[in-house]
Amino acid sequence: MSVVGLEKIEVLKKIALDINPEAQIEIFTKGINQENIDEFLSGVDIVCDGMDLYASDLRTPLYEKAHRKGQFVISAGPFGMGTSVMAFHPNKMSFNDYFDLNKDALTVEAKIIRFLAGMSPKLMHKKYVAYPEAVDLFNGRLPSLHTGCYAASAALSSVVLKIVLNRGKVLYAPYGYQIDFYLNKYRKFWRPFGNRNFLQKLLIKALHHKFEVKELC
């Protein structure tokens, strides 16, 4: 309750400096946008993506510029009571290639579906959604719990640590993995060609049909 009404970014900075007073932290009070992406990526080795599922218009150029600059990108998102994790190596498959977002005139809904399908090809969490009628993919109503949010941050930081220490195996796209604590399951996935893979095309088509949305503007 002591931080109610305060800016999240300032609170997070204070927490980080509480842990490590010698940390050097630069904050962007107005967030990341098309105008300051280059400034945000300046001097960066690894980009940690904690953006919302719906930030496709920002995520695409951010990832693409990071890839061109030779920077690693790690993405992890909460899915139900678990998380899905993907890492992108600057010398391997890029984010846009994996998610197949280079296609012209994709609708916002199509970009969301491609990101969802690419991050969670198995859609493990759909098995235990209690009220599927309450799910509204395009209006921000998705089945994610605090368990998934904490799992995502823990998994992402673990991948970052392995890259920084150059120790341990890192799964880079088109590999990824999803873990679900409700189902007690772990699934590693491999999707050659990313969303251009035949299985992914079927999944994307099914999701378009399910949500009754168009792919192109």
Side-chain angles (χ1 to χ4, degrees), residues 12 23 26 28 46 51 73 77 82 90 99 106 115 125 140 144 146 155 158 162 171 180 190 198 206 212:
L12 289 172
E26 180 181 357
F28 291 74
I46 303 174
M51 291 188 291
V73 180
F99 287 99
L106 283 174
F115 185 70
H125 54 295
S144 292
H146 68 286
S158 298
K162 288 194 287 185
L171 297 176
D180 193 288
W190 175 51
F198 178 70
E212 300 179 340

Side-chain angles (χ1 to χ4, degrees), residues 114-158:
R114 287 178 182 229
F115 185 70
L116 175 63
M119 284 294 295
S120 179
K122 299 290 186 180
L123 296 174
M124 293 166 62
H125 54 295
K126 72 176 183 179
K127 297 177 181 178
Y128 57 87
V129 176
Y131 299 101
E133 63 275 11
V135 176
D136 190 342
L137 178 62
F138 305 116
N139 287 299
R141 293 178 61 86
L142 291 174
S144 292
L145 301 172
H146 68 286
T147 309
C149 295
Y150 280 117
S153 61
L156 188 150
S157 61
S158 298

Side-chain angles (χ1 to χ4, degrees), residues 6 14 19 30 45 48 90 98 115 122 134 169 182 187 198 202 213 215:
L6 302 180
K14 184 177 183 300
I19 296 169
K30 296 183 179 180
D45 295 311
C48 301
Y98 176 82
F115 185 70
K122 299 290 186 180
K169 183 178 181 180
Y182 184 86
R187 290 284 185 272
F198 178 70
L202 289 178
V213 296
E215 182 178 31

Side-chain angles (χ1 to χ4, degrees), residues 75-194:
S75 182
F79 289 91
M81 290 185 68
T83 182
S84 185
V85 188
M86 292 202 70
F88 296 89
H89 191 288
N91 297 325
K92 298 180 183 291
M93 195 175 206
S94 73
F95 170 85
N96 285 346
D97 283 339
Y98 176 82
F99 287 99
D100 194 23
L101 294 172
N102 293 315
K103 198 171 184 178
D104 292 333
L106 283 174
T107 63
V108 173
E109 291 82 5
K111 292 178 181 178
I112 291 173
I113 284 176
R114 287 178 182 229
F115 185 70
L116 175 63
M119 284 294 295
S120 179
K122 299 290 186 180
L123 296 174
M124 293 166 62
H125 54 295
K126 72 176 183 179
K127 297 177 181 178
Y128 57 87
V129 176
Y131 299 101
E133 63 275 11
V135 176
D136 190 342
L137 178 62
F138 305 116
N139 287 299
R141 293 178 61 86
L142 291 174
S144 292
L145 301 172
H146 68 286
T147 309
C149 295
Y150 280 117
S153 61
L156 188 150
S157 61
S158 298
V159 175
V160 171
L161 186 65
K162 288 194 287 185
I163 293 174
V164 170
L165 296 179
N166 192 25
R167 181 178 177 184
K169 183 178 181 180
V170 176
L171 297 176
Y172 291 106
Y175 289 92
Y177 68 86
Q178 185 172 0
I179 186 168
D180 193 288
F181 297 108
Y182 184 86
L183 298 174
N184 304 312
K185 289 184 178 180
Y186 163 85
R187 290 284 185 272
K188 183 172 74 173
F189 55 85
W190 175 51
R191 290 295 184 271
F193 310 110

